[in-house]
Amino acid sequence: MKAKTKFGRLIAIFCLSFCLPFTASYEFIVDPTSSSPNEFRSLEEAFSQVGWYLYYLEVTFTLASSCAGTTQTLGDDPILFGYYPFTIKFEENPPLSQESDCFLLPRLAFGPGTTLYAQSLPKMTLQGVNIQFIADPAYTSLIYEVNEVEFTNVCFNNSEPSRSLPEGYMGYDFYIYQASKFTVTNMIFLNDGYKRFFIYNTKETLITNLVFIQLPWAKQTSNNPMTYYNVAFPDSTINITSFSIMCDPTSDLAPNLVWIRGFGTATISDMSISECNLQRSSLNKPFLFNIQCGKHLSINGLSIRNIKHRIPFIATLIIIEKILSVKLSNIDISNVVTDAVFLKIADHCVTALCYCDFDQSSTVSVEVTNWKITHSQFFNLSIMLSEL
């Protein structure tokens, strides 16, 4: 990155603020092939012109089609702080449905030396990028107290390019921290088990069209790659529509995938789990889904197909713990062979000792309607529905 003094940065900010007095927004075009003096060869070069100081302008960085497949960063440990919205977007809008689609997008890397810190913005949007989150032994990537966070048509690559963690890594994750609203639309999540995408104390979470792909080299850890944890808003809402979990057919690992804890109302619809061969786990009580400590939970439309879940100790596909009222409807199970508890509903925490941060009474209402089971086998400790 070109060296830039504090004085030089202030001059750039002054020009953006006062040389363009009649605009409330400014767009930076990033095109590696362009020779125009008004466009930039990289996102890092463009970002260096505005730095972290977003007091005066709504800033948009538009990545031209020539950025497809290139690696972009915001420079050395970027800091975003200000009073106006911040957007990074790809000018193309290719459809996302599988892992290979991610390589059609610009790669936006956050990791050692490029860890993200964004704070107090009214809105932050990432659109049409392949977010590569690489483990940093020293820092968390953090979007902190940004009012609205929006990810649209993105990949979130949670895997390590080296397929191992750096020496000294202490579990620093990627956080959406205390946002009023977090919206995800069309996201592919690539997981290898090492790190977490952590949604913390978010009042409203809306997720539409999420595909979770377990990579073939994924490791078994106690981390839940996608975690929602709320201790601030007793009436927080989670709405997840169209959520697919796709296992790698060459792997027999049974991972922990999603953990949700602490909410007012959670609604999950059109969820599917397919093509999984879950034969081994180093964990005591592995699960795919664990939902804890809420007032109301509704799961409508759950499809589980072509699953082998043969682990010779207590395992559960879906655990629901300490939810005041639970409604489960339109469950379709086909070609499933398992030793596991399929669905466990409990008025206490059975996976580990835990404490619900809000006043939480025991589960008092469970409603189950329209279940269909075909061509499936349940063995040994397997239980279709367990209530404790």
Side-chain angles (χ1 to χ4, degrees):
M1 188 181 77
K2 297 178 181 178
K4 188 173 283 288
T5 65
K6 289 184 179 179
F7 179 75
R9 176 169 288 184
L10 288 173
I11 291 295
I13 293 167
F14 179 86
C15 287
L16 285 173
S17 304
F18 299 103
C19 299
L20 299 171
F22 300 107
T23 180
S25 63
Y26 195 80
E27 182 179 25
F28 294 84
I29 305 296
V30 178
D31 185 348
T33 65
S34 174
S35 59
S36 169
N38 299 318
E39 298 181 353
F40 298 85
R41 309 294 83 78
S42 70
L43 179 62
E44 178 179 352
E45 182 185 357
F47 183 74
S48 69
Q49 300 304 304
V50 68
W52 56 269
Y53 205 94
L54 298 171
Y55 281 119
Y56 303 104
L57 296 171
E58 177 180 349
V59 176
T60 297
F61 295 91
T62 299
L63 306 178
S65 58
S66 58
C67 292
T70 66
T71 297
Q72 304 289 332
T73 75
L74 290 173
D76 298 338
D77 292 327
I79 297 174
L80 303 172
F81 182 84
Y83 301 133
Y84 285 83
F86 177 88
T87 298
I88 299 174
K89 67 178 183 177
F90 185 34
E91 72 174 6
E92 302 288 331
N93 194 32
L96 298 179
S97 61
Q98 56 191 353
E99 181 184 354
S100 60
D101 295 336
C102 297
F103 304 113
L104 302 176
L105 306 176
R107 179 175 177 261
L108 180 59
F110 299 115
T114 60
T115 301
L116 173 66
Y117 184 85
Q119 180 179 353
S120 301
L121 301 169
K123 187 173 184 179
M124 180 174 179
T125 301
L126 299 180
Q127 178 181 327
V129 291
N130 180 8
I131 303 166
Q132 174 74 66
F133 173 49
I134 304 170
D136 190 317
Y139 297 104
T140 287
S141 278
L142 181 64
I143 300 176
Y144 179 72
E145 291 187 342
V146 173
N147 190 52
E148 291 187 39
V149 181
E150 189 172 293
F151 289 178
T152 301
N153 213 46
V154 302
C155 293
F156 190 92
N157 192 338
N158 198 42
S159 67
E160 287 299 300
S162 65
R163 301 188 182 181
S164 63
L165 289 170
E167 184 176 353
Y169 177 71
M170 299 295 290
Y172 297 103
D173 301 313
F174 191 105
Y175 274 85
I176 308 295
Y177 196 106
Q178 294 187 177
S180 294
K181 185 177 182 180
F182 177 45
T183 303
V184 174
T185 306
N186 299 330
M187 182 165 85
I188 293 179
F189 187 100
L190 303 176
N191 175 64
D192 64 3
Y194 285 117
K195 308 179 301 296
R196 291 181 298 180
F197 180 80
F198 207 116
I199 305 168
Y200 182 76
N201 282 357
T202 298
K203 190 171 185 179
E204 181 181 7
T205 301
L206 302 172
I207 299 176
T208 304
N209 295 330
L210 171 63
V211 178
F212 192 107
I213 297 177
Q214 184 78 348
L215 297 170
W217 62 87
K219 300 295 183 182
Q220 178 69 79
T221 70
S222 58
N223 284 336
N224 303 286
M226 185 167 286
T227 297
Y228 173 96
Y229 192 98
N230 170 48
V231 298
F233 304 106
D235 296 317
S236 66
T237 60
I238 308 168
N239 195 316
I240 303 174
T241 303
S242 187
F243 180 19
S244 301
I245 295 174
M246 301 171 61
C247 298
D248 183 85
T250 65
S251 174
D252 62 355
L253 185 70
N256 288 2
L257 294 183
V258 179
W259 183 40
I260 297 173
R261 177 180 171 183
F263 56 88
T265 300
T267 302
I268 303 172
S269 57
D270 298 326
M271 183 171 74
S272 66
I273 306 170
S274 63
E275 310 302 330
C276 297
N277 180 29
L278 311 177
Q279 305 286 337
R280 62 184 176 90
S281 174
S282 60
L283 301 178
N284 184 30
K285 295 179 180 180
F287 57 83
L288 292 184
F289 240 87
N290 190 353
I291 307 174
Q292 297 177 334
C293 301
K295 294 180 181 178
H296 308 288
L297 170 66
S298 172
I299 299 178
N300 179 19
L302 171 61
S303 173
I304 300 180
R305 294 176 175 271
N306 303 322
I307 303 291
K308 288 186 178 179
H309 196 275
R310 304 298 303 272
I311 299 177
F313 49 86
I314 297 175
T316 306
L317 270 73
I318 301 174
I319 301 174
I320 298 172
E321 303 170 312
K322 300 195 75 173
I323 310 296
L324 185 65
S325 68
V326 178
K327 292 185 177 181
L328 308 171
S329 57
N330 299 314
I331 313 297
D332 185 3
I333 301 167
S334 178
N335 294 319
V336 172
V337 178
T338 183
D339 295 289
V341 175
F342 175 78
L343 178 63
K344 181 174 290 183
I345 302 175
D347 61 3
H348 61 283
C349 292
V350 297
T351 50
L353 294 175
C354 72
Y355 169 75
C356 292
D357 297 278
F358 311 122
D359 292 336
Q360 187 66 59
S361 60
S362 301
T363 301
V364 296
S365 173
V366 177
E367 180 180 326
V368 180
T369 58
N370 196 19
W371 283 44
K372 180 182 178 182
I373 304 172
T374 57
H375 307 296
S376 298
Q377 296 174 304
F378 299 87
F379 295 100
N380 300 332
L381 297 175
S382 179
I383 302 173
M384 188 66 229
L385 176 61
S386 172
E387 290 189 73
L388 298 176

